[in-house]
Amino acid sequence: MIRLIAAAFSVVSAFTLALGPSLPAQAQAQTRPIVIGQTYVKTGPLASLSTEPLVGIRAMFTALNASGGINGRPVELRQLDDAYDPAKGAENVKTFVGEGAVGILMPIGTSSSVGALKAANELKIPVVGPYTGAGPVVKFTDYGFPVRISFDEEYSRIVNHLFTIGLSRIAFAHNDNPGARSAMESTQKFIAERGDKMVGSVAIKNDGSDAGERAAELAKLKPKAVVLSATNDVAAKFITAYRAAGGETAFYSFSFLNGQKLFQDIKKDAAGVVISQVVPYPWNSAMPVIAEYQAAMKKIGATEFSYASLEGYVTAKVMVEGLKRAGANPTADSLQKGLESFKTLDLGGIAVAYRPGEHRGLTFSELSMLKADGRYLR
């Protein structure tokens, strides 16, 4: 379990505990942390999904607490590993609720999010910004507050782009897990809606051990574009093997692919890979939310910006904005009402939309291409 509280507040808390009953109850309540829980993937082959988003979350809460928290109270983030197991994700949510958490922040991955959201709806506690766009997670529920667009929207936009530029022989390669499989099925549906068929698809083990075999299998079909729903390690192994097999194709990926890491791993083989992004360009400091993110990252010593850490930061910011509207002593119920009071809220260049009966989140997306030097072309 990791607890993120600014040092300044630990002094206040120690002072409060030392005085104990001599402080008025209201004063003690004001210095007591606001507890938020996060179930995430720390162990197993999909643990890398968590790395970058957690940096952005830490940057947000560190900056918030250093500036006084919310109504004078620090926000404490408690984290537990679910190893990408939905049952464990649900159990973690129940643990957080038992510890007084008022909200659940950004479960990582589809399976974890499905479990977390099921428990959260039963226990009536908001889940903000699951790190997935899978259908079962983004569909409306009273306590689910997605931030990113859905996988369906991502893949629909990719398919539309491919048909627009004349690439209709499309294949799909994905991690062998439910979220990635649902992305393949969505893409297959969008191609069918265009009156065409997917050339073929392959499922790759989550540790990438069969990436070479699957790459050779797909290369034989000679697609003009291969759409990916794969973790970085799997994508790197697959693309390298595909190119080694003599396959010539354009690669398009959903937003979980970290282009910078892909370039570090496979260098020139990463050039030309197109990645769907669900948050803005993290180096565009002219956008207020990006300038804020960059400053917060630098304060924790993180000098490498990325789309995934920006998404973590933005998601934590959405939670904070909800807490600010949840009253002096937030509860799960008042946080839900606070989030639904947004209507459409400008976060500093991008807007998130929640209202009773509709939890839309962001609508942002764009495509970026990796250049030969590892930078992005937008």
Side-chain angles (χ1 to χ4, degrees):
M1 182 180 293
I2 303 171
R3 301 186 178 186
L4 303 177
I5 312 178
F9 282 102
S10 63
V11 174
V12 174
S13 298
F15 180 67
T16 302
L17 290 171
L19 291 181
S22 64
L23 269 180
Q26 185 176 5
Q28 291 186 46
Q30 285 299 309
T31 55
R32 191 171 65 246
I34 299 169
V35 178
I36 299 298
Q38 183 184 30
T39 179
Y40 75 114
V41 187
K42 184 179 180 181
T43 56
L46 298 180
S48 62
L49 284 176
S50 303
T51 305
E52 291 295 320
L54 265 59
V55 176
I57 290 170
R58 180 162 63 92
M60 177 68 210
F61 285 133
T62 299
L64 172 76
N65 288 339
S67 66
I70 297 174
N71 296 320
R73 296 175 63 184
V75 174
E76 179 179 339
L77 179 65
R78 299 184 180 180
Q79 298 170 303
L80 290 172
D81 179 23
D82 57 44
Y84 204 66
D85 179 350
K88 184 62 177 172
E91 182 183 323
N92 288 346
V93 168
K94 293 174 183 177
T95 297
F96 294 136
V97 170
E99 293 177 350
V102 301
I104 305 299
L105 179 68
M106 204 178 205
I108 301 293
T110 299
S111 292
S112 305
S113 297
V114 167
L117 194 58
K118 182 177 185 297
N121 277 293
E122 292 170 358
L123 298 169
K124 300 184 177 180
I125 183 171
V127 177
V128 174
Y131 194 47
T132 175
V137 178
V138 298
K139 73 177 182 180
F140 176 81
T141 63
D142 287 335
Y143 293 91
F145 289 85
V147 173
R148 59 164 38 228
I149 63 170
S150 69
F151 286 162
D152 272 10
E153 289 174 286
E154 282 198 69
Y155 285 108
S156 173
R157 295 176 191 189
I158 289 173
V159 169
N160 286 341
H161 171 77
L162 288 171
F163 273 84
T164 298
I165 63 174
L167 298 181
S168 58
R169 281 188 59 80
I170 302 169
F172 204 100
H174 62 93
N175 274 52
D176 193 5
N177 64 54
R181 197 173 306 113
S182 73
M184 181 276 291
E185 291 166 353
S186 292
T187 303
Q188 193 172 42
K189 177 186 72 174
F190 295 132
I191 293 170
E193 288 173 357
R194 290 277 191 157
D196 218 319
K197 290 183 179 180
M198 184 181 285
V199 173
S201 66
V202 292
I204 309 160
K205 292 179 181 177
N206 287 326
D207 62 3
S209 58
D210 62 344
E213 297 168 57
R214 301 288 81 78
E217 179 183 332
L218 206 60
K220 290 177 183 177
L221 302 178
K222 301 188 183 311
K224 293 297 183 183
V226 174
V227 182
L228 301 168
S229 179
T231 55
N232 260 81
D233 291 344
V234 168
K237 291 175 182 176
F238 179 84
I239 292 170
T240 300
Y242 193 96
R243 298 212 193 277
E248 294 183 6
T249 187
F251 287 101
Y252 283 75
S253 173
F254 78 149
S255 52
F256 280 7
L257 191 66
N258 183 329
Q260 296 144 283
K261 186 177 186 306
L262 185 69
F263 176 76
Q264 290 170 6
D265 290 343
I266 63 175
K267 302 301 182 196
K268 62 181 179 62
D269 282 340
V273 173
V274 177
I275 304 172
S276 166
Q277 309 294 358
V278 297
V279 290
Y281 189 64
W283 297 271
N284 178 20
S285 57
M287 185 178 287
V289 70
I290 304 299
E292 180 187 305
Y293 152 79
Q294 290 181 355
M297 289 283 282
K298 289 173 183 175
K299 284 180 181 176
I300 64 167
T303 56
E304 296 292 327
F305 306 140
S306 69
Y307 284 99
S309 62
L310 175 59
E311 185 174 348
Y313 184 88
V314 168
T315 302
K317 184 176 176 67
V318 171
M319 174 68 83
V320 167
E321 293 298 328
L323 289 170
K324 287 178 178 177
R325 290 160 174 74
N329 294 298
T331 63
D333 182 63
S334 68
L335 174 59
Q336 184 206 31
K337 290 180 171 59
L339 290 162
E340 288 186 337
S341 74
F342 285 5
K343 302 299 188 281
T344 299
L345 178 68
D346 183 3
L347 298 173
I350 50 174
V352 62
Y354 300 134
R355 64 192 74 243
E358 183 184 5
H359 299 168
R360 180 67 182 86
L362 299 174
T363 58
F364 181 90
S365 76
E366 66 180 13
L367 295 178
S368 62
M369 179 185 287
L370 282 171
K371 299 195 295 183
D373 62 1
R375 292 184 295 174
Y376 290 98
L377 178 67
R378 299 159 61 218

